[in-house]
Amino acid sequence: MDTIYKRTDPGNIDMSVISEAGRIIRAGGLVAFPTETVYGLGADALNPAAASKIYEAKGRPSDNPLIVHIADIGSVYEIAADVTPEAEALAKRYWPGPLTMIFKGKDIVPKETTGGLDTVAIRFPSHPVAKAFIASAGGYVAAPSANISGRPSPTTGDHVFCDMNGRIDMIIDSGYCNIGIESTIIDLSAGTPMMLRPGYVSEEDLREVIGDIEKDPAVFGNDTSAKPKAPGMKYRHYAPKGEMLIVSGSKERVRSYIMERIEEKPEGVRLGVLTFSEDAPAFEGADLVADMGRSDNTDMTAHRLYDSLRRCDDEDIDIILSEEPCSGRLGPAIMNRLIKAAGHNIIHVD
Ligand code: AMP
Ligand code: MG
């Protein structure tokens, strides 16, 4: 299939691109589009055949449900059966934005979109291109991240092109995604609200609005055998091709461990380091040094994380050593992605 590739500037949206993309979705096709978190791979959420195509294009397991993206708060009431006052309070504060809420679903949402569950995940993104596109597409766009399953999520149009060219109808490229990691997910479909995935909206942000929340022990605890409530969280995800190791400990010990590994690197093995601006010069001898910004700027680390993992693949890196993020605002969300990328491979060097 030929994939149409169009650029549009978020500050000056080309409405002819948006209309073309909207027509493709309404006709049952697939369009990748930018959001403030990562690029999404969209299909009409209310069309079962269209939603099924997403799984095929990504190679995504069919039990992993899709998030329905809307462009108007009122749309929630059309597809969710039980919108609680807590959900309304969260929507008022964080929508449009990087928060996904899970509700009991209405029958109008097909099983192909919900992965067979009776709940539905909904997000109202804030990216101007996403909002215009969703409205033009009919108001309900099912979209997971626009990567091949298991690859790092795409945060630029180039990333999407690498994974999806020839597999989908259209790509809308609007440059970098500001946040760079996926939305926070909270389940409001039963009992005490439960956080299922960390993201830009933090635990404290959620508590500030609705008070007590629980956190999925399979994601936030240490028991790696527990089954996560968000089916997608159980897959090895976000993963680069090389073998990845997170190096944990005091700055000095981490730095000397990585420098030693660089010095002792066997002939022919390519070693990459995911690091921070203040440490990067120490690792000059590595084959790739991916600078994720200053360690105290977790917004920047999140923004650069997936691009850094993809660069490791582009440069054929065999071993990736990653420093740990700081405990700043986005620390837990970044650590969650790093741990999955590394397949829980962590060394404590203190
Ligand atoms: P992605 O858009 O690729 O980040 O994936 C969407 C995430 O949302 C996956 O981890 C899904 O398992 C999760 N998700 C979507 N719908 C639901 C739902 N109804 N209940 C629980 N998790 C969901
Ligand atoms: Mg994904």
Side-chain angles (χ1 to χ4, degrees), residues 222 245-250 253-254 257 324 335 339 344-350:
N222 289 325
L245 177 66
I246 299 168
V247 188
S248 168
S250 66
R253 297 299 292 269
V254 168
Y257 175 86
E324 264 182 317
M335 198 55 190
I339 286 175
H344 293 269
N345 207 3
I346 302 180
I347 182 171
H348 299 275
V349 291
D350 276 336

Side-chain angles (χ1 to χ4, degrees), residues 95-332:
W95 275 1
L99 178 66
T100 296
M101 292 194 252
I102 292 173
F103 302 93
K104 289 201 182 85
K106 282 193 174 166
D107 290 344
I108 177 183
V109 189
K111 295 290 180 220
E112 286 73 3
T113 293
T114 63
L117 299 175
D118 55 8
T119 51
V120 59
I122 307 178
R123 178 157 93 92
F124 179 175
S126 62
H127 194 293
V129 173
K131 288 201 281 191
F133 162 66
I134 295 161
S136 159
Y140 303 94
V141 174
S145 47
N147 51 284
I148 298 280
S149 250
R151 294 261 291 144
S153 295
T155 54
T156 69
D158 278 351
H159 296 166
V160 179
F161 184 83
C162 285
D163 280 16
M164 290 296 159
N165 185 40
R167 294 172 165 260
I168 62 175
D169 298 286
M170 182 173 180
I171 296 169
I172 307 174
D173 179 351
S174 297
Y176 278 99
C177 300
N178 274 339
I179 293 176
I181 56 173
E182 303 81 353
S183 59
T184 305
I185 303 181
I186 184 160
D187 185 350
L188 297 144
S189 67
T192 308
M194 184 182 277
M195 201 172 169
L196 306 188
R197 177 170 77 183
Y200 191 79
V201 176
S202 69
E203 186 183 336
E204 292 68 37
D205 294 337
L206 296 169
R207 286 189 200 280
E208 219 178 280
V209 179
I210 57 170
D212 195 27
I213 60 168
E214 290 176 355
K215 296 194 290 177
D216 186 352
V219 173
F220 294 88
N222 289 325
D223 180 3
T224 51
S225 65
K227 189 169 169 233
K229 292 206 160 29
M233 298 297 280
K234 71 176 180 247
Y235 297 106
R236 179 161 188 239
H237 214 169
Y238 320 123
K241 291 177 199 140
E243 188 189 323
M244 181 166 160
L245 177 66
I246 299 168
V247 188
S248 168
S250 66
K251 269 263 177 227
E252 295 70 42
R253 297 299 292 269
V254 168
R255 209 183 278 192
S256 53
Y257 175 86
I258 296 176
M259 285 165 70
E260 255 171 54
R261 290 285 304 259
I262 293 171
E263 272 165 32
E264 292 165 3
K265 180 172 71 91
E267 196 54 43
V269 169
R270 291 178 57 75
L271 189 146
V273 186
L274 304 190
T275 183
F276 301 106
S277 306
E278 64 271 25
D279 300 326
F283 305 137
E284 255 176 9
D287 298 290
L288 170 73
V289 181
D291 176 351
M292 302 191 293
R294 284 195 54 85
S295 63
D296 55 4
N297 183 353
T298 52
D299 279 41
M300 183 57 80
T301 306
H303 180 73
R304 294 191 181 166
L305 177 67
Y306 288 136
D307 187 59
S308 303
L309 290 173
R310 279 178 177 261
R311 281 179 59 204
C312 292
D313 285 353
D314 294 345
E315 308 247 347
D316 292 322
I317 298 299
D318 304 298
I319 296 174
I320 304 161
L321 302 178
S322 174
E323 291 200 71
E324 264 182 317
C326 276
S327 53
R329 226 190 84 75
L330 287 179

